[in-house]
Structure formats: C-alpha cells, structure tokens
Amino acid sequence: MTYAGLAFMLISVGAVASLLAWCLVRVLGDKKPRDHFAHVEPVGEDDLEKR
Amino acid sequence: MTTKQPDGWSSKLGVIMAVAGSAVGLGNFLRFPGLVADKETGGGAFLVAYFISLLIVGLPVCWIEWTLGRLGGSRGYNSSAGIFHAVIGRPWGKYVGILGFIVPVGVYFYYVVIESWCLGYAWSSFSGGLDLGRDAAAYAAHFKDFAGLGADGSVLGLKAPFLFFIGVFILNYVVIYRGLSRGIEFICKWGMPLLILIALVLLVRVLTLGTPDPARPELSVWNGLGYMWNPDDVLGGLARPAVWLKASSQVFFTLSVGFGVIISYASYVRRDDDIVLSGLTATSANEFCEVGLGGMITVPAAFAFLGASAVAGGTFALGFNVLPQVFAGMPYGHLFGGLFFTLLFIAAVTSSLSMLQPGIAFLEEGLGLDRKGSVALLGLVTAVGCTLVIWFSEGLKALSTVDFWIGDVGIFLQGTILVYVFNLAFGFEKGWAEAHHGADIAIPRFFRPIIRWIAPAYLTVVFVMFMLRNLAGWNLSFTAPAFSPTEPVLDLIGGDGHPASAVARLTAVFLVIFIVFTIVLIQRAGERWNRR
C-alpha cells in the first residue's frame, strides 16, 4: 500500500468512526424526558362504529 | 376524544438501531468492497464520488424521509401512500407513494432467499461442511447446487436450501407479528451490536493474517489493503460518468433511501422527538459498517489468499465462492467462516424485517386489517413472489429481473420523487422548519441549497443517466457514445444472439400484476382515508 493509500484509508475510516462516536455521545447523553408512546392517533368515526 | 395507543418505538436508540439495521445489509460487506476494488471504476475516484454523493444526496434524502415520515405519523399515517396522501393533500397524492409499498415488498421477494443462503452457509461453515479444499471449482459447484443455478425447481423439496428458506421466511413473519418494539426493535437492539462485535473479531483476524503463503510474498493483507485503497488516477476517474453513477447507486442502496422504509419507520417517532440527530446517527452507523468494517475485511482477505483476480467476480461470487475458499485456507477457518456468514445473516435479517414493515403498515391503515390479517395477507403476497424467485432459480433469472426492475429502477425513481415532493408539493421552507421541530442539533446551513437545488438536479441527472445506461445501453461516453440494449431489456424483447427469456417475461408479468394489485389496494385505502 502506498502512503497515499494509507492516508486515504485512515482519513475515510477515521472520519466515519469519529462521526459515529460523536453522534452516539450526543444520543446517549440526551437527558430529555421521553414518554414511551409513539404518537397518539385520533380515532376516526369508522373505528368508533366498530366498537 | 377517545384515543388508542398504536404500535411504536420504545426508545430513541431503538429507532436509530432499527434504521441502521435496515441500512446495514449485504451491500456493506460484499457490494461496497467490490466496487472500491474495481480497477475500472473504483479506487480513489470512486471513494471521492461516493463521499460527495453521500453529502449531496444520501444525507439530504435521509433527512427528507425522516421529516416526511414523522409528519405523516403525526397525522395518523404510517405507510408511504398514507403519508403522501396527508402531505400532498390531493386525491392523486396517495398514488405517489405507491413505490413505498412495491419497492420494499418486491425486494423482499428475493432478499429473503439470499438471506437463507447466508444462514445455510453459516451452518455449513460451523459444521465443517464448507471446507472443500483448495479447488475453486468445488466452491463454485457447491454454490450452484445450493442456490439451484443449474436447473429451475432444483432446490425445492426436502433439501437443506429450501428448508433454510422456509425457516428464514417464517422467522421474519414471527418477528414482524410481534410489532415494532417487541419485534423489529428487539432484534435490532441485540443484532446490531452483535454484528459489529463479530465484524471487529473478523477485522482483527484479517489484519493479522500477514502473508499467508510465504512463497508468494506479494499476496499479503498489506497489499490487499493497498489494492483497495490506493488512489490511482483520481481526477481522471472523476471525469467518468460511470464512476458517479456507481457511487451514487451505492449510496442509495446502502442507506435504504428510496426503499420506503425510513419514511415508514420515522412515522412512528413522536411529534416532538428529534429526527436530525437520529438520521445522522443511523447514517453514520451504516457508513462505519460499510467503510470502516466492510471495506477492511472481505477484499484484503480475498486478495491475501487468492490474489487480485479473485476479487473481481461480483457480489455473489465474492461472498459465496471466494470467501469460503479464503476461510478454508486459514486456521480455525470453519469458525471464522461461520462467524462471517452469521454476520451476513444478521445484516440481512434486520434489513428484510424493515422491508415488511411498510407493507404491514399500509395493509393495517389502508384496509383496516388487524396485525394478524395484515401479516397473513402480506405473507401470502410475499410467498407467491418468493416462490417465483426460488422456483426459477436457473441462472438466477427471476431474481435478477426483480432486482433490476424493482431494486434498481424503483429505488432511483422513489428517491427522486421524495426530493421533489419535499421541495415542491410540501415546500422547502416548511420542510426545513418541520425537520428542525424538536431537533437536538441543527442541520448545517450549507445543506439548504443542497436540499433545495443541488440534490434534485443531481438526482435527476443521475436517474436519466441510469435509465440511459441500463435501458438504452449507453456506454456512458460523451466523446464516442454508443447504445445497445442491456441484458434486462434483451431478456424481455430479445435481440441478435440473445433470445427473450420466458422466465424474465413471466416475472415481468407477475410484477405488472403486483403493481396493478397495489394500485387497487391504494384506491380502496383512499376511500377509507377520505371518510376519516
């Protein structure tokens, strides 16, 4: 492998690994309170009729 | 007002893992390394084009899908057709989302078959049945027999390949029946870390291989890495349209953009939850698996044992002919081979699950089916499609026909449609504000012109080039252009020395029926949605 190839590999792999690490730190460090409901869907008339 | 609690993700990390699991697939470990190592269109030029495509198409379309998906979900829609119906707000809007059902379900027809090959090869490797010595022909013959390349219908019956297929098919539906958090999220939360752990073990093994055959010192891991990463003529390569076409295609395939998966997954995210950081995290996880792991394992290992000629055989040849031979040549090869195919299987199963969810979501909200009904109907549709692919296995003709018309053309078309809907039908400024609602980070401002102008223009050019290349057979040369129909087209219409394929035609007819069936379903769904 040439020095240029080594540089190419290290920069490419380093860049994606660093980006992933930065993202994971941000995501895992997120302390915002969450509830565990995805979203609340209003029930349509047809659904009410079924019940 | 009465409310009901629908299916949803249990955590932010869960949805990120699920999206990353959808994106990380066979392409990361087999297709990407093969493209980089391609001496015609690969190397440094390919990598530069790849990262530029990631920046101006991959990430923007990802964020667009997350944005439209979450917006559609907040309005009570989880399928592509429903989301476009809500976002566009016109009677024809729902039909724009048709590819969000056709593409993932259509790709599932053959993807689950390949997934079963991975499981079968993992089993064979661990049990020592894949150690066929040093004869390359033995591995090719084994794959031909296992995949039924020699004759149609040859894998059907009580044989290992068919039993693996049935097992994998049922496994997918058992998981999908359990729902998002108990099914897909559970599998991805365990599967993705396990996948990365296995990949790291394999990476250490490959990087410590040194020179496996001292009599041939030129065949070393170091030279294998060089074969893949040495940037040859970068500027010359970037002037070739084929390089850009391959790079942008790979970005599309690897990120699952245009599949209709991210938009559906994002619809289950809460209205106030972040999507910018989540989208970036899922994308970077996929890129780490592709560039950092996939790019360092398969090609260097194959090169170190077998040389450059072994690397240039295409995705299936690299995965199922070359690599088993490589693993057979190293100490504890059955163990490392088994781990590698287990890795491929995990990558494949997290992707195939994501292909079913958009279909399930559409059948539930469009036709009012419950989970049992939607799983049964989608199971029936995919069983018919998979039967076609696995029955007509000779030369993988049915598989390649579905792959081209649905997996290639459909994805490009859907990706292009997404960008135009976001910018024109929904409105860029509204979309930009919507993306930032609840966001943990801001999208850098230089993405504004990229999303608004550059991505649509780039996608349009690439889509036209793709169609000219793959339908009209353009040689991608501006100086000496030539056109000759390509194999997928010749398979349907025939040509000099290339008779039309009955299997390809039958598959095309099936796909047309599938599309008409989907249009009817969307029309029925529209009537239901209009009554809301």
Side-chain angles (χ1 to χ4, degrees):
Chain A
M1 180 156 59
T2 62
Y3 285 118
L6 183 63
F8 228 95
M9 183 181 82
L10 291 178
I11 291 170
S12 301
V13 176
V16 293
S18 305
L19 180 63
L20 175 61
W22 181 81
C23 287
L24 285 177
V25 167
R26 291 293 304 254
V27 169
L28 297 174
D30 181 16
K31 300 295 182 202
K32 269 198 283 186
R34 311 272 175 196
D35 67 29
H36 291 282
F37 298 94
H39 65 259
V40 179
E41 181 185 356
V43 172
E45 282 181 15
D46 49 345
D47 292 307
L48 288 173
E49 282 166 12
K50 272 191 205 168
R51 297 179 184 190
Chain B
M1 177 185 278
T2 328
T3 58
K4 64 179 180 181
Q5 185 196 338
D7 209 355
W9 306 108
S10 71
S11 68
K12 181 176 180 175
L13 192 61
V15 63
I16 291 171
M17 288 288 199
V19 174
S22 165
V24 176
L26 302 175
N28 296 59
F29 297 96
L30 296 178
R31 192 172 190 266
F32 174 77
L35 287 173
V36 181
D38 185 338
K39 286 295 133 184
E40 291 293 313
T41 53
F46 174 85
L47 282 168
V48 171
Y50 174 85
F51 283 117
I52 291 175
S53 300
L54 182 68
L55 202 66
I56 65 175
V57 179
L59 258 178
V61 179
C62 255
W63 278 323
I64 286 173
E65 282 209 48
W66 277 85
T67 305
L68 294 178
R70 186 184 62 174
L71 179 68
S74 71
R75 296 180 184 178
Y77 296 96
N78 304 113
S79 69
S80 195
I83 290 166
F84 281 119
H85 169 78
V87 170
I88 295 175
R90 300 284 170 85
W92 48 266
K94 55 187 176 290
Y95 295 105
V96 178
I98 185 172
L99 288 172
F101 179 83
I102 287 172
V103 169
V105 175
V107 171
Y108 183 86
F109 292 160
Y110 64 87
Y111 201 88
V112 71
V113 176
I114 303 170
E115 191 178 316
S116 69
W117 297 348
C118 298
L119 184 61
Y121 266 58
W123 178 269
S124 299
S125 291
F126 280 128
S127 61
L130 209 54
D131 187 352
L132 305 174
R134 290 300 182 109
D135 182 13
Y139 293 91
H142 182 270
F143 179 58
K144 185 179 176 184
D145 187 45
F146 195 89
L149 304 184
D152 289 335
S154 58
V155 296
L156 299 175
L158 286 175
K159 299 174 183 173
F162 191 63
L163 295 178
F164 276 116
F165 164 73
I166 295 290
V168 169
F169 188 89
I170 291 172
L171 172 72
N172 273 280
Y173 276 97
V174 168
V175 175
I176 208 79
Y177 180 74
R178 290 171 59 85
L180 280 180
S181 58
R182 290 173 60 239
I184 296 173
E185 187 177 337
F186 176 80
I187 293 290
C188 291
K189 271 174 114 170
W190 286 97
M192 287 304 292
L194 180 62
L195 179 149
I196 290 176
L197 182 68
I198 293 175
L200 289 173
V201 169
L202 290 169
L203 181 63
V204 170
R205 172 67 281 203
V206 168
L207 293 182
T208 53
L209 279 173
T211 307
D213 184 358
R216 300 183 68 187
E218 75 280 8
L219 298 186
S220 66
V221 170
W222 182 252
N223 286 342
L225 288 168
Y227 181 81
M228 179 150 175
W229 290 98
N230 283 346
D232 298 325
D233 181 15
V234 175
L235 291 179
L238 288 176
R240 303 180 61 191
V243 172
W244 289 94
L245 189 56
K246 284 196 174 181
S248 45
S249 299
Q250 178 61 16
V251 166
F252 254 74
F253 298 136
T254 189
L255 294 180
S256 289
V257 292
F259 257 80
V261 170
I262 297 175
I263 198 168
S264 181
Y265 274 10
S267 71
Y268 296 96
V269 170
R270 234 167 40 108
R271 177 79 176 91
D272 296 327
D273 273 350
D274 159 84
I275 52 171
V276 178
L277 180 59
S278 298
L280 185 64
T281 309
T283 301
S284 59
N286 176 70
E287 290 310 307
F288 174 71
C289 289
E290 180 150 300
V291 178
L293 300 176
M296 307 278 282
I297 295 175
T298 43
V299 168
F303 184 94
F305 277 89
L306 304 170
S309 59
V311 178
T315 302
F316 289 156
L318 178 65
F320 297 100
N321 292 349
V322 174
L323 288 173
Q325 200 182 339
V326 168
F327 290 120
M330 65 174 72
Y332 302 105
H334 65 287
L335 180 63
F336 290 110
L339 282 175
F340 177 75
F341 286 108
T342 302
L343 175 150
L344 288 187
F345 174 69
I346 295 170
V349 79
T350 52
S351 299
S352 63
L353 288 171
S354 74
M355 293 167 197
L356 293 177
Q357 180 57 33
I360 294 288
F362 172 69
L363 296 177
E364 285 182 349
E365 73 185 22
L367 304 184
L369 299 177
D370 59 10
R371 177 58 56 131
K372 198 178 285 184
S374 61
V375 165
L377 181 55
L378 192 63
L380 183 67
V381 171
T382 52
V384 174
C386 291
T387 301
L388 185 85
V389 169
I390 205 163
W391 188 299
F392 295 106
S393 57
E394 185 178 346
L396 299 179
K397 188 58 77 181
L399 188 156
S400 56
T401 303
V402 181
D403 180 36
F404 177 75
W405 292 105
I406 302 289
D408 287 351
V409 177
I411 287 173
F412 262 110
L413 194 56
Q414 171 80 340
T416 310
I417 287 171
L418 272 167
V419 175
Y420 280 103
V421 166
F422 183 83
N423 280 299
L424 299 178
F426 187 56
F428 171 77
E429 293 297 343
K430 267 172 69 182
W432 184 266
E434 175 63 30
H436 283 88
H437 181 84
D440 288 343
I441 58 170
I443 301 175
R445 286 189 67 80
F446 66 81
F447 273 104
R448 284 178 63 89
I450 288 177
I451 293 175
R452 193 167 197 176
W453 306 112
I454 298 174
Y458 182 86
L459 268 173
T460 306
V461 169
V462 167
F463 182 65
V464 170
M465 269 173 51
F466 174 83
M467 298 304 274
L468 286 172
R469 170 76 187 89
N470 290 285
L471 290 183
W474 178 34
N475 63 353
L476 291 174
S477 168
F478 290 113
T479 49
F483 295 87
S484 61
T486 54
E487 189 169 341
V489 176
L490 287 173
D491 280 344
L492 297 181
I493 62 174
D496 291 341
H498 189 122
S501 160
V503 171
R505 285 181 166 179
L506 178 69
T507 308
V509 168
F510 170 75
L511 292 179
V512 170
I513 293 170
F514 175 52
I515 291 168
V516 171
F517 172 71
T518 307
I519 291 171
V520 172
L521 290 184
I522 290 180
Q523 199 259 336
R524 289 281 306 274
E527 291 169 5
R528 179 180 163 83
W529 294 332
N530 288 335
R531 289 198 304 269
R532 273 190 179 183

